[in-house]
Amino acid sequence: MSDKLVVCAYHNVGYRCLKELLRQGADIRLIFTHEDSPTEEIWFESVRELAEQHGIPYLTTSINEPENLARVAELAPDFLLSFYYRNMIKPTVLELATRGALNLHGSYLPKYRGRVPVNWAVINGETETGATLHYMVEKPDAGEIVDREKVTIDFTDSAFDVFNKVTDAAVTVISRAWPQLVAGTAARIPMDLKAGNYCGGRKPEDGRIDWSLSAVQIYNLIRGVTHPYPGAFTHLDGKQIIVWKAWPVEGCGEPGRVVSMEPLLVGTGDGLLEIRSLQVEGAEEATATDFVAKRTLVSAEFK
């Protein structure tokens, strides 16, 4: 059976899944990707470079634009696959794939439908997530499931660590599912939306530390948005401070109040937070030891 493909891809998941499709000899006719944003830390592999290496035509304009819609229609693909593509693909585009349009999502659906699912899973203290290949419909991350793979979230994992696990799981899913899709034997499991949840995108302001929360909750936020993401922040003496590394410990103290300088312990709504690495606005990242050595923090309060 035919397997003519148009692929929308970005980020490491897009890069790695494309490599797996190429390893399997998939007939990729066109790739849609994105221009890298000048305001974003680019720590991931380039789909555009991969397309160039393999001589595959690519575009960085949206697949939804009328001229691109016409180009896809002319190609008449059997499948349209989306791997971490950042634009919602319109139903008129999805309908052009005669054998199906599918998306690889970075969670174990139906949990964590929507944006930045890995970060949300870590911030919410989940112990597992995954990667899911599903058919695309008008509603985001809501179509029938073809295959999925779970990964564990360890308490010491940052979102970056989990993202790498999810990327590996995504490749595992594609390696299993692609031959089944081509053969027409792939599963189509209905998505039970009531068993899951939907998350929106995150804004920088969402990284603000609320010291009235428990030490564990604050720790989960910090590890959920630490490098290469923008980081969780608080304020001290009118200056913004990003907390890059921390650890929850037992104890009690007034929320936001420094109770110890060595180690640097701050009170929370439940327990204490040991700050291990932080960055004052306009300065370089520093260890808590170096930070404390330059300041008197007795009774200081983070806000």
Side-chain angles (χ1 to χ4, degrees), residues 118-138:
V118 168
N119 303 82
W120 277 119
V122 175
I123 290 165
N124 290 341
E126 301 288 356
T127 57
E128 64 180 22
T129 186
T132 304
L133 184 68
H134 66 93
Y135 282 89
M136 284 188 278
V137 293
E138 186 169 5

Side-chain angles (χ1 to χ4, degrees), residues 34-46:
H34 301 289
E35 296 287 348
D36 293 332
S37 169
T39 61
E40 183 176 359
E41 184 178 345
I42 306 301
W43 52 271
F44 40 84
E45 300 278 8
S46 169

Side-chain angles (χ1 to χ4, degrees), residues 48-160:
R48 179 163 54 179
E49 289 177 9
L50 185 64
E52 289 171 349
Q53 288 167 15
H54 290 269
I56 302 170
Y58 69 88
L59 294 166
T60 57
T61 49
S62 172
I63 192 172
N64 297 311
E65 292 184 9
E67 61 269 28
N68 291 337
L69 183 71
R71 184 163 177 178
V72 173
E74 188 179 348
L75 285 170
D78 297 284
F79 294 98
L80 171 66
L81 297 184
S82 176
F83 306 128
Y84 268 63
Y85 191 63
R86 292 179 170 179
N87 298 336
M88 279 292 294
I89 303 174
K90 293 181 178 178
T92 48
V93 180
L94 302 180
E95 292 163 4
L96 297 175
T98 57
R99 299 188 61 198
L102 299 98
N103 175 58
L104 195 293
H105 185 70
S107 77
Y108 197 80
L109 290 174
K111 290 186 175 180
Y112 291 94
R113 296 169 49 237
R115 300 288 185 176
V116 292
V118 168
N119 303 82
W120 277 119
V122 175
I123 290 165
N124 290 341
E126 301 288 356
T127 57
E128 64 180 22
T129 186
T132 304
L133 184 68
H134 66 93
Y135 282 89
M136 284 188 278
V137 293
E138 186 169 5
K139 184 179 284 190
D141 310 319
E144 295 166 308
I145 293 169
V146 172
D147 195 1
R148 53 190 172 173
E149 179 84 4
K150 281 186 179 180
V151 302
T152 59
I153 302 176
D154 296 325
F155 192 64
T156 53
D157 281 342
S158 68
F160 178 72

Side-chain angles (χ1 to χ4, degrees), residues 2-3 21 36 42 62 85 93 122 135 151 161 178 210 241 264 276:
S2 181
D3 68 345
L21 287 171
D36 293 332
I42 306 301
S62 172
Y85 191 63
V93 180
V122 175
Y135 282 89
V151 302
D161 298 324
W178 179 241
D210 178 355
I241 293 177
L264 179 53
R276 295 180 172 178

